[in-house]
Amino acid sequence: MLGLASFLAGHILYIVGFMKDRKLVEPTENQFVSKSSVMAWTGVIGVYAICIFSYLLPFLGEMALPVLLYVSAISVMLWAAIRRPNHLLNYKVIIIGALFFIVSDTILAISIFKGYFPYASIFVMTTYGLAQLFIASGYAAGDKRIQ
């Protein structure tokens, strides 16, 4: 439970950071993903969240609410990454990192609640490391604009 809470806190901090990136542009600039793309991504992320939670629900027991909160947080984290200004060089790199987090957390949840499968820990740690690498290197690149 403490591990889940600490990772939840980390994702919340990523959400806050990604949302602050939206303030890098002037309100008059139209440098964000189009509304139709946001709606499509919102739908895809929502379907993911519903599917993974529904799949795990029979195995969760008293962990159902904490896992629901966590699935919601990682979904919002990806959504917030997509909502960042898309004219920044690090835009796609950070989205790839957020997607790797989704993959890592999904594999971890399945292996914990449904049952261990071969090499789960290798897949979890590899995708987790890639998530951190992409997000950190994206931010290390700074907020340079695409010319």
Side-chain angles (χ1 to χ4, degrees):
M1 190 65 157
L2 290 175
L4 188 67
S6 66
F7 278 94
L8 176 64
H11 286 303
I12 290 170
L13 291 174
Y14 273 129
I15 292 166
V16 170
F18 294 158
M19 295 309 287
K20 282 187 175 186
D21 285 348
R22 290 182 57 77
K23 296 181 179 166
L24 293 173
V25 297
E26 296 295 322
T28 57
E29 288 185 71
N30 187 18
Q31 307 241 346
F32 296 103
V33 176
S34 70
K35 288 184 182 186
S36 60
S37 292
V38 170
M39 295 296 287
W41 272 106
T42 302
V44 169
I45 295 167
V47 167
Y48 155 78
I50 290 167
C51 288
I52 193 62
F53 184 73
S54 298
Y55 177 73
L56 292 173
L57 187 58
F59 310 100
L60 297 177
E62 63 187 31
M63 291 296 290
L65 183 59
V67 170
L68 177 61
L69 292 173
Y70 192 82
V71 168
S72 299
I74 64 170
S75 298
V76 171
M77 185 264 310
L78 175 58
W79 181 84
I82 292 163
R83 297 286 293 145
R84 295 174 63 254
N86 66 358
H87 69 288
L88 301 178
L89 283 173
N90 62 12
Y91 178 75
K92 290 180 182 173
V93 174
I94 289 176
I95 290 175
I96 291 168
L99 286 167
F100 272 122
F101 259 128
I102 296 281
V103 172
S104 174
D105 291 345
T106 300
I107 295 169
L108 181 62
I110 291 169
S111 70
I112 288 173
F113 296 111
K114 175 101 170 58
Y116 179 80
F117 56 92
Y119 308 110
S121 59
I122 293 172
F123 291 125
V124 169
M125 292 312 296
T126 301
T127 53
Y128 173 79
L130 288 170
Q132 294 288 18
L133 175 69
F134 275 87
I135 292 173
S137 63
Y139 274 107
D143 63 350
K144 297 178 184 81
R145 296 171 187 258
I146 296 172
Q147 307 279 321

